[in-house]
Amino acid sequence: MSASVGESVPGDLGAPTFHALFREYFGQMTRLAHLLGADDAENVAQEAFVKLHQRWDTLTDHTRVAGYLRTTVVNMSRSRTRHLRVVRRTPQERPADELSAEVTAVANWEHQRIRAVLGKLSRRQREVLVLRYWLDLSTAGIAETLGISPGTVKATTHHAMENLRKHLGDDLGGER
C-alpha cells in the first residue's frame, strides 16, 4: 500500500511527509538555484519538488531527499544557465515590416517600367548602368569588367541616363 503525498510511508514512522519537506527545503532550494545563476529560481525549486513528487512512492530512504533535491536543483540550474547563454548569444530576428498592398503594387509597376526602359537602351548602356547602380561598381571597376576605358564608361553612363530621362521623364532626379 502506498502512502499519499501528505502522509508518511507505512512502516517508516520517522519518514517526513512531502508537505513537511516542502516547507523545510523550498526556501533553501530557491536560494541555491538563485546563487547558481538561474533566472527563475522559484520555478527551478518548484520543478525539483515536482520531480521528487513523481518519485515519492518509489523512495526507500527518505533521509536522502535533501540530497536528491540539491542534485536536481544544481542540474536544472546548469541547464537553465546554459540555455540562457545560447539565447543571449543568438541575435533576435525582427520580422520585416510589411509593406502595404499599394506600396507593393506601385513598386512592382515602377520596376516593370524601369526594366522596359532598360530594354530599350543599347547593350553597352544597359551593362554600364547595371554595373554602376546595381553592383555599385566604380568607373574603374566597370571599365575593367567591360574591357573599355574609364572615359568611355563616363560617356556611356551620361548617354544612358539621358535616354532613361527621355523615356521615364525627369522624375529620376540626378544631375543633367
Side-chain angles (χ1 to χ4, degrees):
M1 175 176 171
S2 68
S4 70
V5 172
E7 302 173 0
S8 300
V9 177
D12 190 2
L13 299 174
T17 65
F18 183 82
H19 294 294
L21 286 170
F22 185 85
R23 282 190 301 274
E24 182 179 351
Y25 290 109
F26 181 74
Q28 289 178 24
M29 296 305 123
T30 302
R31 284 189 297 280
L32 176 61
H34 176 73
L35 291 171
L36 292 174
D39 64 330
D40 53 351
E42 281 192 9
N43 286 338
V44 170
Q46 287 174 1
E47 287 182 42
F49 275 97
V50 167
K51 289 178 185 273
L52 174 65
H53 182 266
Q54 291 169 343
R55 296 192 58 208
W56 188 253
D57 288 340
T58 63
L59 293 177
T60 56
D61 186 1
H62 287 86
T63 60
R64 299 180 60 154
V65 169
Y68 173 81
L69 285 169
R70 279 192 298 274
T71 302
T72 304
V73 168
V74 167
N75 289 335
M76 291 176 67
S77 295
R78 282 181 188 157
S79 178
R80 298 280 173 112
T81 54
R82 190 171 36 247
H83 172 74
L84 285 174
R85 274 195 306 266
V86 171
V87 167
R88 289 177 183 144
R89 202 175 19 200
T90 305
Q92 300 298 317
E93 292 184 26
R94 286 188 54 231
D97 293 335
E98 291 290 325
L99 298 176
S100 69
E102 294 83 9
V103 169
T104 303
V106 169
N108 285 339
W109 176 77
E110 288 175 351
H111 290 155
Q112 290 172 354
R113 187 172 162 215
I114 290 172
R115 279 194 300 266
V117 172
L118 281 173
K120 294 178 183 178
L121 298 178
S122 71
R123 179 184 51 82
R124 181 173 281 173
Q125 287 179 353
R126 187 172 47 252
E127 289 171 349
V128 167
L129 289 182
V130 168
L131 291 172
R132 172 71 181 105
Y133 295 104
W134 188 61
L135 289 181
D136 201 27
L137 290 180
S138 65
T139 301
I142 296 169
E144 182 181 330
T145 301
L146 297 179
I148 57 178
S149 72
T152 303
V153 171
K154 291 177 184 177
T156 304
T157 302
H158 174 75
H159 293 297
M161 291 303 291
E162 286 298 317
N163 284 334
L164 282 178
R165 281 189 189 92
K166 183 174 26 172
H167 292 294
L168 292 174
D170 284 327
D171 57 340
L172 282 179
E175 295 179 13
R176 284 197 123 192

